[in-house]
Amino acid sequence: MENQQGNASQSDRVLINAMSSAFGSLAGGDNLLRAIKTEEMKEREKERVYSECTFGGAVLAHVKYDRVVKTAPLTIPENINQYKIEAKGKVFEPPRRCLMDMWAQAYRRWVYDTSRVRYPLKRVGWEPGGKGKYDNRGIAEFVRISWDEALELVAGEIKRIKEGYGNSAIAYLTHTTHTTWGTIHGMGTEYTVVPRFLNILGGYTEYVPGTSSWAGWVSGAAFMYGYWWANGTSEGVDSFADSLQNSRMVVYWGLDATKSTRMYLGHESEVWRHWVREAGIKTVMVSPEFNDTAVVHADRWVPVYPGSDAALAAAIMYVWVTEGTYDKNYVETHAVGFEKFRDYLLGKDDGVPKTPQWAEKICGVNPETTISLAREWAAGPTTLNCQLGGACRGWNGHEWTRMMVTLQTLQGLGKPGVNMVTWGTISGGAPFDKSVHVPGYSTGINPAANKLYSNPIPQRVHTLNISDCILKPPVKWKGGTTGAAYWWEEFFREYSYPVPGYSEIKMILRMGGGHFASYANVNWRAEAYLSPKVETTVMTALFMEPVMRYADIILPACTDFERNDYSMLGCGGLYIPYSGSANHQIAIYQQKCIEPLGQSMSDMDIFYHLARKMGIEDEFSEGNTEDDWIRKLFEKSTTAKFISYEDFKKKGHYIFPFPEKYEPTPPLRWFYEKGGGLATPSGKIEIYSRTIADFYGENHPEIPPVPKYLEPKDGPKSPQAKQYPLIGFFPHPKFRLHTMMENVSWLRELHKKRTDGREYEPFWINPVDAAARDIKHGDIAIVSSTKGKLLASAFVTERIIPGSIRIFYGAFWEPEDPRTPGSLDRGGSANVLASNEPMSYHAYLHRVEHMMVQVRKWEGQR
Amino acid sequence: MKYSMIVDINRCSVCYACVVACKNEHVGNPYPPYSYPQPDRDQEWIRLMEEEKGKYPYVKLYPIPVLCMHCNEAPCMEACPIPDCIYRTKEGAVIIDSTKCDGCKSCISACPYGVIFPNEDRNICQKCTLCMHRLEQGKEPACVEACPSGVFLWGEESGLEKEMKKREAMPLYREKGTKPRVYYVGLPTPTLAGHVIDGKSLMDMPGADVIITDTRGSSMRRKSNVAGNFSLDNLKMDTAYTVKIEHTGYLSKTIENVLLDIEYKHLGDIKLFKAS
């Protein structure tokens, strides 16, 4: 219990101290203080400031008495040049500080949360050698053990499993749900340090987390214009300057930019959206919800049913085609296969013209609104702000993304003012000095290593089938990309588990954010851990999250405040090479500002210790200490040209001045000028994809060569809709990052409903749907789908389209009985409801955003 | 030097950075002589009140950051039975002296804004200090610094007067008459809104004149904005208005008897047709 209490008592001391000087002596406290006030105390009393980079952006951590007492924004001195944009007779310049969001503001509360795992733990009943009890996973208690014992046990189990079954029996599970920010620790460890450790040992069964936030882009849009290396999202740098200067309208489609772009950098992009308004550019929001972006940034809200957006897009293009208001020349010179798409729009192939009236029946948009939107769009350069999360993670997400690319293609993608991007996160937007290279988590320590190791084990499991692989092998599947698909062949490759000659999984090594609440079908996911086939499960953990209950051994990791690292604000490294997602390019030496809490240690240190136990320390570390890795990465980065390593360490950050002479490169302008050169077979935008046609044929019902609106298999017209008539959608959460910070009381009290001693996750429901179910604002309701059921509190609002409910995913899963699959979840974890069915035959990827659900008032009946 | 604040809720994107920044600044941190630490929970020295008006699909959200108004005629000061316990600093902040406060909660009952909180563990009442400790260091309050959207206009009282007039800034719950130091732009008032479009092309019509007249003949006038939207606020509930829309080259349109029966009434798409 070292949280508030600890904090308060320490604070008291400070208060008493200060007050005693201000008001004279206070009984007791004053004397006490005098007694302990040594020189050391005086030293600790001084406030120290450290540079940090968190997943909520760059901050300065203020430390007093060895505790972080505050996180404050990192500021940009007046003498450092920053970008300015002239547009519409105005000059726009960003604030001279990093814009912290609520996560960065609450970061210290998170670091000190009572649920931190402080000591290595062992499940009661578990024994090494596969001899223990398995039937208490999920409900067992843990006992504290020493690091020595813990490392001995883990190393012993790795050896035993490896020798007994072969390396393929070890599965390493990590998830794109993020831990703390870092290049060598945290996310960097997840991506590079652990695989290195296991590869030196001879490899492991890879777990493919699949991309979920970008699923539709990589499986859809990328086939049209390439950008495989950016998960199918296109160029971002200089996009909003282009919009401010040249666009007549900005359409936000299928995302809540204000909420979702905070990931990695806080509110850096919020000012850009304000500038759009200030520049007099009109704005539209297409979304099932009147979201936070719409509240302040939309002139018009066009509500659509979740998962139906592609129909609206088709109808808009129908209007353009029939009225001749698309850019015919551009389409001829820059795209291939438009004719086939036009035939689809006009109904030449299926007898159904994709008119606004046709679309209305699917997406619920009044035909006049569709026509109005289509004509406004075609009347001048329009920006389409649409990439992150939202609709691309849902039913047939790849058709939505292909429709989005097609919309902009028909208006001349790359022309001044005609671009598409989400401003913020890793897809960028700001002017950006491309000569600056600073490593990020996606390449981790690799650039600094002399030798890299690859995984010789061909066996893999996928996030959509891991439990099936463990519980009922064999399993076969096609596709299933890694975090980012680098080429389209990835989609057509076939896999099976187990791979002949390789053992099934016997040991799970897991690190990263809590995946139970972040990935679809939680009940099914938890079932795998109950299997006696899994003899040992080792997890590294910051907090005692729900998934940890299923561990056999828990190794306590520390947060980014408790170790050193080197990274750049908002940059994931190679993920998206030039992001321009923040207003300033800042290289950060993430300074260790407090000692690791309890006996926790950095992610990398844990594997250093394990490497030593396994006798592979030399290969693993190449003699590098933490500081060596950081220094080597630093020396390979642009930062080294401007500041010495010692000064950088001391100062904590280096802000790259914006170049005095800057040549903007608006997104896809080069393509507009050149008419070719994209990473597609033709080098042009492929509205008709030959690659898809060759592989799937001309008329595949789930993946046609031209984008189409496809009826979702388990959507509102499916048989299950009788029992589950509402469309549930589960977007990226506002008050947490996936599951991260779900435990922070400061944030929980802002949105959770507190009643009968519990806190309930809220869900949005339209008054019409609530009244039909006799549900009032604040009532607790049971929400169910074919996959599970949960309790949540009704937030009755006009801000959501009728016939639909919204729950943010990521709430901690709290099943009534962790050992009974399908047991009622009191935590309101939306992914209990979501299906782990792949998005389509083509895309073996998450479609976690949409699911048919039913809601009824909770009166104690399960 | 007295400070004041204008809160422009039209710019607020409901991000809660201000609310959590206050916790970051104050939870566990004492700033003597102005404040004891804010407890971990149940005290929001600044809260965000989300006032939703209108009917689907024409919704309007008014996110109102509510903090201590540091009233010039502060009911809490009058209600407090302990001499000099609640006092005003030269910067204009109303401060509860935690060393004098005995937690009687008189101030809590007296405050019309619900911004004073009991701390049962310590037997004191606590609230926003306008971040006096920061003002002394020449910084702005934590909530102001945290806002990415420029919702808070902060400064010396005299310097803000012009802006207050220009933007018709008003105190929250003006009828309480406590003369707050915090002023708001864009507070919810009975509002009539609509979207003017060309009846043939269905496209937005900026620059249309919208004139509304109540039954007694007093009228208001607005121009539709770049997206064809108009919004007339500060109207009277349950009043019938005549709405007339004019645009050069178009036949004007009159909608009689529009009853303002909800606080944010939207007339939907209003079509104007060319005069020829």
Side-chain angles (χ1 to χ4, degrees):
Chain A
M1 295 292 282
E2 200 182 300
N3 72 331
Q4 310 89 291
Q5 279 97 335
N7 208 351
S9 65
Q10 215 149 46
S11 312
D12 279 359
R13 248 185 267 148
V14 185
L15 182 64
I16 292 163
N17 176 22
M19 285 176 83
S20 57
S21 50
F23 309 115
S25 101
L26 278 167
D30 203 14
N31 291 331
L32 180 74
L33 248 173
R34 221 166 273 139
I36 57 169
K37 198 153 188 178
T38 58
E39 282 308 304
E40 188 201 338
M41 272 304 275
K42 269 188 198 157
E43 199 51 37
R44 292 169 66 203
E45 194 181 284
K46 280 187 205 151
E47 193 165 278
R48 295 168 192 282
V49 180
Y50 298 85
S51 293
E52 304 294 345
C53 196
T54 72
F55 53 69
V59 300
L60 297 174
H62 291 244
V63 175
K64 216 169 168 179
Y65 291 108
D66 306 327
R67 286 187 70 88
V68 182
V69 293
K70 190 161 59 182
T71 47
L74 198 152
T75 53
I76 288 78
E78 289 292 333
N79 60 358
I80 292 181
N81 192 42
Q82 61 174 4
Y83 73 76
K84 289 185 191 68
I85 291 166
E86 285 177 39
K88 310 260 162 58
K90 292 182 175 161
V91 179
F92 299 97
E93 200 175 341
R96 285 193 171 269
R97 64 179 197 279
C98 295
L99 299 167
M100 291 164 65
D101 67 353
M102 64 167 100
W103 301 332
Q105 295 283 6
Y107 212 79
R108 69 179 175 97
R109 180 64 187 77
W110 186 63
V111 167
Y112 290 113
D113 193 75
T114 43
S115 62
R116 270 292 293 271
V117 181
R118 284 153 190 275
Y119 311 101
L121 298 171
K122 185 177 79 166
R123 178 168 60 81
V124 174
W126 177 81
E127 293 296 333
K131 297 192 199 91
K133 276 169 62 176
Y134 298 104
D135 56 5
N136 64 348
R137 277 188 184 140
I139 52 170
E141 296 196 330
F142 290 89
V143 285
R144 178 177 163 182
I145 53 174
S146 68
W147 264 113
D148 248 4
E149 187 184 352
L151 294 167
E152 205 58 59
L153 284 171
V154 175
E157 285 296 277
I158 293 175
K159 274 184 202 143
R160 179 182 70 84
I161 300 276
K162 184 175 143 62
E163 281 158 20
Y165 303 100
N167 278 58
S168 70
I170 302 168
Y172 167 47
L173 269 64
T174 187
H175 306 271
T176 55
T177 50
H178 312 304
T179 47
T180 49
W181 191 255
T183 303
I184 70 167
H185 300 294
M187 291 155 76
T189 297
E190 270 180 63
Y191 283 106
T192 59
V193 174
V194 186
R196 177 181 180 88
F197 167 80
L198 291 168
N199 287 339
I200 293 171
L201 289 173
Y204 59 101
T205 290
E206 188 191 349
Y207 166 86
V208 182
T211 173
S212 66
S213 297
W214 318 91
W217 290 97
V218 71
S219 59
F223 283 84
M224 296 184 72
Y225 63 10
Y227 293 102
W228 300 94
W229 51 92
N231 262 329
T233 65
S234 64
E235 297 165 11
V237 172
D238 291 319
S239 62
F240 74 80
D242 177 44
S243 302
L244 287 174
Q245 287 159 348
N246 305 311
S247 291
R248 177 181 170 274
M249 182 163 83
V250 172
V251 177
Y252 298 98
W253 194 321
L255 88 164
D256 184 356
T258 291
K259 177 198 74 194
S260 301
T261 57
R262 283 156 44 202
M263 199 160 74
Y264 295 7
L265 31 77
H267 286 300
E268 291 284 304
S269 67
E270 186 60 13
V271 286
W272 312 343
R273 287 181 286 278
H274 279 290
W275 293 345
V276 167
R277 307 280 286 162
E278 287 160 18
I281 298 167
K282 62 173 117 183
T283 49
V284 177
M285 169 62 71
V286 183
S287 167
E289 52 167 352
F290 185 74
N291 54 34
D292 292 349
T293 312
V295 166
V296 62
H297 299 298
D299 286 309
R300 193 201 288 202
W301 173 36
V302 180
V304 291
Y305 291 119
S308 72
D309 311 66
L312 177 62
I316 288 171
M317 289 186 272
Y318 176 88
V319 174
W320 293 347
V321 166
T322 52
E323 295 183 352
T325 50
Y326 64 99
D327 190 333
K328 294 178 202 74
N329 291 335
Y330 179 95
V331 168
E332 262 175 40
T333 52
H334 289 66
V336 295
F338 170 69
E339 299 70 27
K340 289 207 161 78
F341 181 67
R342 188 179 54 201
D343 289 350
Y344 162 72
L345 291 178
L346 299 175
K348 285 197 179 152
D349 53 353
D350 57 2
V352 185
K354 308 304 173 298
T355 62
Q357 288 74 14
W358 162 84
E360 183 188 18
K361 293 194 196 93
I362 298 160
C363 64
V365 178
N366 179 319
E368 288 200 346
T369 303
T370 307
I371 294 168
S372 167
L373 180 56
R375 290 179 180 162
E376 285 291 340
W377 199 316
T382 298
T383 293
L384 178 55
N385 199 308
C386 64
Q387 293 177 342
L388 168 72
C392 84
R393 314 192 314 144
W395 289 319
N396 303 312
H398 44 72
E399 296 309 292
W400 175 72
T401 65
R402 292 163 83 199
M403 283 289 186
M404 294 300 111
V405 177
T406 313
L407 279 164
Q408 287 303 69
T409 302
L410 263 56
Q411 295 301 338
L413 183 56
K415 255 177 28 182
V418 184
N419 67 61
M420 58 184 301
V421 72
T422 302
W423 299 322
T425 316
I426 48 177
S427 36
F432 186 89
D433 179 355
K434 294 193 189 69
S435 67
V436 174
H437 292 271
V438 172
Y441 65 82
S442 59
T443 42
I445 59 167
N446 290 356
N450 292 330
K451 188 172 175 197
L452 297 177
Y453 297 84
S454 58
N455 185 358
I457 305 290
Q459 180 166 281
R460 51 157 67 179
V461 290
H462 191 277
T463 180
L464 296 182
N465 61 29
I466 172 144
S467 294
D468 293 341
C469 287
I470 289 172
L471 297 167
K472 43 183 182 188
V475 176
K476 284 186 188 306
W477 72 98
K478 173 190 82 62
T481 64
T482 49
Y486 291 103
W487 211 243
W488 53 74
E489 285 97 338
E490 195 71 33
F491 284 89
F492 310 139
R493 208 168 284 161
E494 289 183 348
Y495 298 94
S496 62
Y497 173 94
V499 172
Y502 291 88
S503 160
E504 287 183 40
I505 294 165
K506 298 290 176 188
M507 177 176 187
I508 292 174
L509 182 60
R510 201 207 73 88
M511 73 171 292
H515 65 308
F516 272 7
S518 299
Y519 286 94
N521 204 350
V522 179
N523 285 302
W524 166 86
R525 221 161 269 284
E527 241 182 300
Y529 288 98
L530 301 177
S531 166
K533 268 190 196 172
V534 181
E535 297 173 7
T536 304
T537 300
V538 179
M539 304 197 188
T540 66
L542 287 166
F543 301 98
M544 206 61 198
E545 289 190 43
V547 66
M548 306 308 166
R549 287 199 293 259
Y550 294 81
D552 298 326
I553 291 177
I554 301 177
L555 305 175
C558 67
T559 70
D560 37 358
F561 281 7
E562 297 150 62
R563 37 77 170 167
N564 297 309
D565 210 326
Y566 172 41
S567 64
M568 188 165 180
L569 169 61
C571 173
L574 270 185
Y575 222 141
I576 288 181
Y578 304 115
S579 77
S581 46
N583 284 310
H584 306 92
Q585 288 168 270
I586 308 175
I588 295 171
Y589 185 86
Q590 298 178 240
Q591 295 164 320
K592 173 178 174 178
C593 67
I594 49 171
E595 288 301 317
L597 298 197
Q599 289 183 352
S600 66
M601 60 169 89
S602 76
D603 311 281
M604 194 192 223
D605 274 357
I606 293 175
F607 287 89
Y608 258 74
H609 282 286
L610 282 173
R612 200 166 302 144
K613 288 268 181 212
M614 300 297 299
I616 55 165
E617 196 191 357
D618 291 345
E619 299 100 300
F620 180 70
S621 71
E622 296 179 356
N624 292 316
T625 61
E626 179 196 65
D627 190 60
D628 294 333
W629 286 114
I630 297 176
R631 187 173 35 78
K632 286 182 182 176
L633 287 169
F634 171 84
E635 279 160 6
K636 283 180 187 290
S637 70
T638 317
T639 324
K641 285 188 200 158
F642 299 98
I643 187 170
S644 76
Y645 183 57
E646 292 312 316
D647 288 348
F648 181 57
K649 261 174 86 167
K650 212 165 136 199
K651 172 101 167 80
H653 58 268
Y654 177 78
I655 303 166
F656 293 95
F658 191 70
E660 296 288 346
K661 278 186 187 159
Y662 180 71
E663 281 295 319
T665 52
L668 286 150
R669 183 67 48 80
W670 63 270
F671 172 69
Y672 169 65
E673 284 159 5
K674 197 173 154 194
L678 292 173
T680 56
S682 61
K684 297 179 191 256
I685 298 173
E686 305 208 337
I687 300 176
Y688 173 90
S689 168
R690 168 61 47 205
T691 313
I692 289 174
D694 283 351
F695 194 80
Y696 299 104
E698 294 290 339
N699 285 308
H700 196 284
E702 294 188 24
I703 178 74
V706 296
K708 288 182 179 176
Y709 167 75
L710 303 173
E711 193 61 45
K713 275 186 290 184
D714 49 1
K717 286 187 184 161
S718 68
Q720 59 171 275
K722 281 208 177 67
Q723 205 184 338
Y724 303 103
L726 297 169
I727 309 173
F729 69 106
F730 318 128
H732 283 74
K734 171 171 175 174
F735 295 92
R736 50 186 176 253
L737 167 55
H738 306 305
T739 61
M740 309 273 278
M741 301 206 120
E742 169 66 349
N743 45 356
V744 174
S745 58
W746 297 357
L747 304 182
R748 289 176 76 91
E749 79 173 3
L750 300 180
H751 70 124
K752 302 252 180 190
K753 165 83 179 173
R754 262 197 272 182
T755 184
D756 47 274
R758 285 185 157 273
E759 289 173 319
Y760 290 94
E761 179 72 11
F763 71 93
W764 275 18
I765 184 167
N766 187 282
V768 175
D769 298 316
R773 290 162 176 80
D774 193 27
I775 289 171
K776 288 181 205 64
H777 191 75
D779 280 355
I780 306 303
I782 182 162
V783 185
S784 52
S785 78
T786 52
K787 298 295 178 194
K789 49 191 186 249
L790 57 81
L791 292 185
S793 160
F795 190 97
V796 180
T797 175
E798 304 279 353
R799 292 173 66 185
I800 185 169
I801 192 168
S804 178
I805 67 155
R806 184 200 81 183
I807 317 179
F808 288 139
Y809 73 81
F812 283 163
W813 182 52
E814 296 170 25
E816 285 192 318
D817 175 6
R819 290 194 56 84
T820 306
S823 158
L824 180 68
D825 167 32
R826 287 180 171 271
S829 190
N831 278 322
V832 159
L833 308 169
S835 167
N836 62 307
E837 290 285 307
M839 183 177 277
S840 68
Y841 175 76
H842 160 62
Y844 201 77
L845 290 165
H846 289 277
R847 34 136 289 187
V848 286
E849 190 95 357
H850 302 139
M851 191 72 183
M852 298 309 291
V853 299
Q854 179 57 301
V855 175
R856 87 179 136 80
K857 199 162 158 177
W858 166 249
E859 279 155 336
Q861 291 130 345
R862 276 148 194 86
Chain B
M1 187 156 78
K2 282 193 160 63
Y3 286 94
S4 200
M5 190 190 275
I6 304 176
V7 183
D8 183 354
I9 64 175
N10 292 325
R11 291 184 70 94
C12 176
S13 48
V14 217
C15 78
Y16 283 84
C18 55
V19 175
V20 187
C22 179
K23 293 173 184 293
N24 184 10
E25 187 75 22
H26 288 281
V27 174
N29 294 331
Y31 298 108
Y34 305 113
S35 56
Y36 263 104
Q38 188 182 115
D40 187 55
R41 308 195 61 142
D42 299 319
Q43 292 204 9
E44 288 182 63
W45 294 3
I46 177 169
R47 68 177 187 273
L48 200 53
M49 195 162 76
E50 295 187 29
E51 292 272 316
E52 181 185 307
K53 308 286 182 195
K55 285 269 173 219
Y56 173 88
Y58 300 108
V59 201
K60 169 91 177 157
L61 188 81
Y62 300 89
I64 312 172
V66 182
L67 63 162
C68 174
M69 304 291 158
H70 300 277
C71 308
N72 284 320
E73 290 176 14
C76 57
M77 285 174 85
E78 283 166 35
C80 180
I82 301 169
D84 303 326
C85 173
I86 306 186
Y87 64 99
R88 191 185 311 280
T89 67
K90 65 180 193 311
E91 288 82 357
V94 174
I95 301 291
I96 303 175
D97 185 338
S98 294
T99 60
K100 294 199 172 85
C101 178
D102 67 356
C104 79
K105 301 179 194 166
S106 308
C107 54
I108 295 178
S109 327
C111 175
Y113 294 97
V115 291
I116 314 180
F117 304 87
N119 184 331
E120 307 285 357
D121 293 342
R122 295 182 183 278
N123 268 328
I124 51 168
C125 295
Q126 293 178 278
K127 67 167 193 69
C128 159
T129 64
L130 208 63
C131 280
M132 271 301 298
H133 65 288
R134 291 175 61 102
L135 302 191
E136 285 177 344
Q137 297 164 23
K139 294 183 194 161
E140 48 196 17
C143 54
V144 173
E145 182 188 68
C147 180
S149 294
V151 169
F152 302 96
L153 196 59
W154 164 260
E156 214 183 315
E157 192 178 32
S158 52
L160 287 180
E161 267 168 13
K162 210 172 128 195
E163 196 66 17
M164 281 185 191
K165 268 208 187 105
K166 193 177 116 198
R167 296 163 79 172
E168 296 175 8
M170 289 287 167
L172 182 66
Y173 312 150
R174 184 166 45 147
E175 67 282 3
K176 302 288 180 190
T178 62
K179 302 207 173 140
R181 308 193 70 76
V182 179
Y183 281 74
Y184 290 83
V185 173
L187 283 174
T189 59
T191 298
L192 197 59
H195 179 217
V196 188
I197 58 171
D198 180 302
K200 189 147 177 278
S201 74
L202 304 176
M203 285 175 65
D204 300 338
M205 284 187 61
D209 286 300
V210 183
I211 307 112
I212 66 161
T213 316
D214 67 13
T215 40
R216 286 178 308 170
S218 59
S219 65
M220 277 172 83
R221 181 181 275 267
R222 280 276 190 293
K223 271 204 192 306
S224 62
N225 74 2
V226 61
N229 287 329
F230 67 85
S231 169
L232 293 122
D233 46 15
N234 277 311
L235 304 182
K236 282 199 188 72
M237 285 301 293
D238 304 313
T239 303
Y241 290 92
T242 301
V243 182
K244 191 172 183 193
I245 298 121
E246 296 173 337
H247 193 285
T248 328
Y250 284 79
L251 296 170
S252 64
K253 180 157 194 164
T254 306
I255 309 168
E256 309 270 1
N257 237 347
V258 177
L259 184 68
L260 200 62
D261 51 354
I262 53 172
E263 280 168 281
Y264 181 78
K265 181 142 185 149
H266 198 286
L267 298 169
D269 293 341
I270 301 166
K271 293 176 187 167
L272 291 195
F273 290 91
K274 285 225 167 78
S276 63

